[in-house]
Amino acid sequence: MAVMAQADDRPRAAEAHRVIAPAFDPDFYRAIYTDLPADIGPLWHYRMAGWREGRDPAPWFSVEGYLAAHPDVAAAGLEPFSHFLSDGRHEGREVAPSRHAATYFGQVGWAPDPWSHESFAASAAPTTGWSGRRRGPAIPLTPEQREAVAAEFDAAFYLAMNPDVAASGMDPVEHFIRTGWVEDRDPNPRFSVLDYLEANPDVAAANLNPFAHYLVAGRAEGRAPRHALGFRYDVIARLKPVEARIAAAAAAAARLRTDPPGRLTVALGKLGDLHVTLSHDNYVEHSGGLQFCVRREAEQFRQRGVAHLHLYPAVVWPSVRAAGEAGPLGVLLNGRRLGFFTPEAVCDALRDAAAGPGRRSFAIHSLLGHEPDATADILAAAGLRDGFFWLHDFASLCVGFHLLRNDVEDCAAPSAESPACGVCAYSPQRARHTEAHRRLFERLNITVVAPSQTTLDFWRAQGDLPAQAAVVLPHARLAARKAPRKVARDGPFRLAYLGMPTPLKGWPVFRDLAQRFDGDPRYEFLHLGGAPDPAAPAAFHEVVVTAERPRAMQERLEALDIDAALIWPLCRETFSFTAYEAAAAGAAVLTGPDSGNVAAFAADPAIGRVLIDDAALAEAFASGEILALGRGARRAVVYDLVYSGMTSELVA
């Protein structure tokens, strides 16, 4: 058990170290606490024992003062310095200087105004953008350093990443030199201010501009411009405990005001045929694969003259809701928002509506944010017990519904009692979450619907929920198109990333690939999606799939003659619209082995290729092997993409 606890704490410990290290003052700590053994590092001692003993990490921060001023932090047993740096300073929490500050400054013989310890505390206000590193006046840049910074500074990148600077009209180079680096703003996509200062405490202690130091001295000394741990390290460092996310959602839901129940009763009073759906959010206001599915389902029922009632948590939750937790529901009728109501109010309104004539059906697209017994009660009030549960993700197997261990590695849903599960941040909440799904399945007669055979086979192998039946219904399929073959264009191999630039969908893999082969005449990189990320040297094309333009992505891919699409999600996808859109447009699908249905789909040589890992992908580009997947080389075929009617196809 001791080993398990240690493994559980690793992501949190890494985050604490990353946050504290740049702001921690080892000289102060060792000068004041003279009992510290010479062979023990000051930062390690502070994190392991010092803060519990009331020892201060820097002259401007008092551990005892912070805990006394903020009893909620003390009651939660949180280490105060990392709390302030991560959250407290953004919340406007005040700090007091160490009672040893004057002694220390007397020893070192500096820090008169304006850099007294009082000024340190004042500079910590969140409005200053202070990052916790400044110990004295910043060292001015020499003409040589300014010239070096200007030569390798990427103004377009800086302004795109910092819209406040763009709006101010200030020269971006000057902004970076004066305040940007102190605020952890990066000067170009290949250099990380935070990484460099963390890896080089001598630069941080001297309060040097890290980019200038790197260009003039650090690069020649072999210092790295950013850490080599990869983007997965960054994901783990930012990972928030599920318990904290649940607590935040519960607090937000408790503050939400609900609408009068009578309004809902009137709106539902004259319903005939009715189809009820539940999901994790408002499918009208949000976009994504699941939301697209619900919109399509609603439209199919509308065409049949069936009213569509959608219920979703008014506040987004990371898990199912527990009994007793506030849970207002948003209610949409035929895509029109009726308001926020308590589950009890929804029950009462549906009970009255159920008394009228008409057929009833339901489909659960996500249980996140819903309480299972309240959900079963709502459906019972509508006279419903037989219905459908869609496997858009694997939330019925784990609260970490992407099945990513600590959000970075496919876990394959191991036993909840296994060490493989115990080392994950989602493990403590998994049992509560899966048992909630079990209660729902036991109260209803549920047919599970999977969008792919791969998904259904995996779900059956890793779970044992008591479903009455199961069926596979793909969201879309490729259909032969009668169209002349396009003449292959001349030019570089075009690789596209589709969708929002997030780690979950593999954006860092595409970004790193684009950066590595930027300038290589063999390749051209494009990003098709809703929002750009200037970190990748890729031409951005805005493409948003809507109810009015469901084939927008497919059409743009075909118009741009894309050779291949990188569909490299970290998680196992249950379907993947982007993979099917790419294939329909004649682009090869490139993916990794842990991508679920994408890997099963791309395993067909006529569709794409599955590479063993990121390194194999990069090597295929370096060697030029990937060029064999160009449209001309493989005589690409285009298809029509035919979408399913979702649950409407299953309801008699």
Side-chain angles (χ1 to χ4, degrees):
M1 292 301 293
V3 173
M4 186 66 65
Q6 182 180 4
D8 277 342
D9 286 340
R10 285 176 185 170
R12 199 170 301 175
E15 165 68 357
H17 180 86
R18 182 179 177 85
V19 169
I20 294 174
F24 185 80
D25 192 329
D27 297 335
F28 164 81
Y29 199 81
R30 197 172 281 284
I32 294 300
Y33 306 114
T34 55
D35 61 328
L36 192 68
D39 60 343
I40 292 182
L43 177 56
W44 185 92
H45 183 272
Y46 171 79
R47 289 184 50 236
M48 296 299 104
W51 72 270
R52 294 185 176 87
E53 299 168 353
R55 305 190 188 217
D56 300 326
W60 54 269
F61 189 91
S62 168
V63 165
E64 293 178 350
Y66 193 77
L67 294 177
H70 309 294
D72 58 323
V73 179
L78 299 176
E79 187 279 304
F81 197 41
S82 61
H83 179 272
F84 171 74
L85 295 171
S86 297
D87 301 304
R89 64 191 178 105
H90 301 293
E91 298 166 355
R93 301 196 187 222
E94 296 182 355
V95 300
S98 169
R99 58 191 175 90
H100 303 293
T103 300
Y104 175 66
F105 290 139
Q107 291 177 1
V108 298
W110 65 277
D113 285 332
W115 294 101
S116 63
H117 56 272
E118 290 86 356
S119 295
F120 280 122
S123 71
T127 56
T128 67
W130 177 87
S131 68
R133 279 193 299 274
R134 301 187 70 170
R135 297 181 55 218
I139 307 301
L141 297 189
T142 65
E144 177 192 10
Q145 290 172 324
R146 278 182 167 272
E147 183 178 347
V149 168
E152 299 203 28
F153 186 85
D154 188 332
F157 166 82
Y158 195 79
L159 293 174
M161 295 297 291
N162 303 290
D164 57 325
V165 180
S168 72
M170 186 175 182
D171 177 76
V173 177
E174 192 64 27
H175 181 275
F176 172 76
I177 290 173
R178 289 189 180 184
T179 64
W181 72 269
V182 181
E183 299 164 351
D184 297 333
R185 306 191 194 215
D186 295 333
N188 66 38
R190 294 177 175 80
F191 185 90
S192 168
V193 166
L194 192 61
D195 288 355
Y196 195 78
L197 289 173
E198 181 179 314
N200 302 286
D202 56 326
V203 179
N207 205 39
L208 299 176
N209 182 306
F211 191 47
H213 180 274
Y214 169 73
L215 295 175
V216 174
R219 182 157 51 190
E221 296 166 357
R223 306 195 194 208
R226 62 186 316 132
H227 70 65
L229 300 174
F231 72 91
R232 290 173 176 83
Y233 173 84
D234 294 326
V235 172
I236 292 176
R238 293 191 299 267
L239 183 62
K240 291 186 177 180
V242 183
E243 296 81 358
R245 285 182 259 171
I246 293 174
R255 293 192 298 267
L256 196 65
R257 295 181 60 182
T258 56
D259 293 293
R263 181 186 302 176
L264 187 60
T265 301
V266 172
L268 303 185
K270 297 181 180 180
L271 293 177
D273 294 347
L274 176 67
H275 179 66
V276 181
T277 60
L278 296 93
S279 81
H280 67 301
D281 68 5
N282 183 336
Y283 71 89
V284 174
E285 295 181 351
H286 299 92
S287 60
L290 190 155
Q291 293 86 346
F292 178 78
C293 289
V294 179
R295 281 197 296 270
R296 185 159 189 82
E297 184 166 304
E299 174 60 20
Q300 293 297 305
F301 276 104
R302 186 195 66 77
Q303 292 179 12
R304 292 168 51 180
V306 178
H308 179 257
L309 183 71
H310 185 68
L311 307 176
Y312 63 95
V315 173
V316 175
W317 285 69
S319 68
V320 294
R321 189 167 48 80
E325 292 175 328
L329 296 176
V331 181
L332 300 175
L333 181 60
N334 297 325
R336 182 172 63 89
R337 182 179 176 276
L338 300 181
F340 295 143
F341 303 92
T342 65
E344 293 76 15
V346 177
C347 272
D348 293 340
L350 281 173
R351 191 174 293 110
D352 293 340
R359 294 172 296 176
R360 305 283 190 268
S361 59
F362 79 84
I364 298 173
H365 292 274
S366 176
L367 199 59
L368 295 177
H370 298 274
E371 198 277 313
D373 290 310
T375 298
D377 290 343
I378 288 171
L379 295 172
L384 291 166
R385 194 162 185 265
D386 298 331
F388 302 91
F389 184 97
W390 279 86
L391 299 180
H392 294 292
D393 53 35
F394 295 106
S396 53
L397 298 180
C398 181
V399 64
F401 48 86
H402 294 304
L403 298 186
L404 287 178
R405 183 178 294 112
N406 296 316
D407 282 355
V408 295
E409 179 185 40
D410 177 67
C411 73
S415 167
E417 294 76 30
S418 67
C421 182
V423 298
C424 180
Y426 294 100
S427 179
Q429 293 292 324
R430 185 181 181 187
R432 177 190 108 151
H433 185 80
T434 54
E435 284 307 309
H437 280 80
R438 181 174 300 280
R439 291 204 308 276
L440 183 78
F441 274 66
E442 289 173 347
R443 288 193 58 181
L444 303 172
N445 293 327
I446 287 180
T447 295
V448 167
V449 189
S452 65
Q453 188 65 49
T454 301
T455 296
L456 182 58
D457 291 345
F458 178 82
W459 184 83
R460 280 173 161 165
Q462 302 307 117
D464 60 352
L465 293 179
Q468 299 298 308
V471 63
V472 174
L473 179 59
H475 296 324
R477 60 182 177 82
L478 300 178
R481 186 197 304 183
K482 294 181 180 179
R485 186 178 303 281
K486 300 183 67 174
V487 177
R489 60 170 176 79
D490 295 326
F493 181 93
R494 288 182 173 173
L495 179 73
Y497 174 91
L498 315 182
M500 295 300 290
T502 64
L504 177 66
K505 296 299 184 180
W507 171 257
V509 177
F510 175 83
R511 177 199 64 205
D512 294 348
L513 199 67
Q515 289 179 353
R516 176 173 175 178
F517 294 100
D518 184 25
D520 189 320
R522 296 176 296 174
Y523 304 115
E524 182 179 351
F525 297 90
L526 301 91
H527 174 198
L528 282 61
D533 181 348
F540 175 71
H541 297 264
E542 184 174 1
V543 181
V544 179
V545 173
T546 65
E548 295 72 29
R549 292 195 60 200
R551 294 177 175 80
M553 183 65 76
Q554 174 190 347
E555 292 167 357
R556 184 62 67 88
L557 283 162
E558 195 170 339
L560 291 170
D561 279 338
I562 299 299
D563 292 289
L566 187 68
I567 314 293
W568 201 280
L570 302 188
C571 63
R572 54 180 70 217
E573 297 277 15
T574 60
F575 182 72
S576 181
F577 279 106
T578 54
Y580 277 73
E581 288 163 341
V589 175
L590 303 182
T591 193
D594 297 328
S595 58
N597 189 56
V598 181
F601 182 57
D604 181 348
I607 298 297
R609 183 174 174 188
V610 182
L611 296 110
I612 191 169
D613 56 23
D614 304 8
L617 174 68
E619 176 56 31
F621 275 78
S623 66
E625 177 189 354
I626 206 71
L627 297 174
L629 294 180
R631 296 180 79 92
R634 60 187 172 82
R635 305 182 67 185
V637 177
V638 294
Y639 301 88
D640 286 324
L641 198 56
V642 181
Y643 295 99
S644 83
M646 300 299 297
T647 310
S648 69
E649 292 191 18
L650 304 174
V651 175

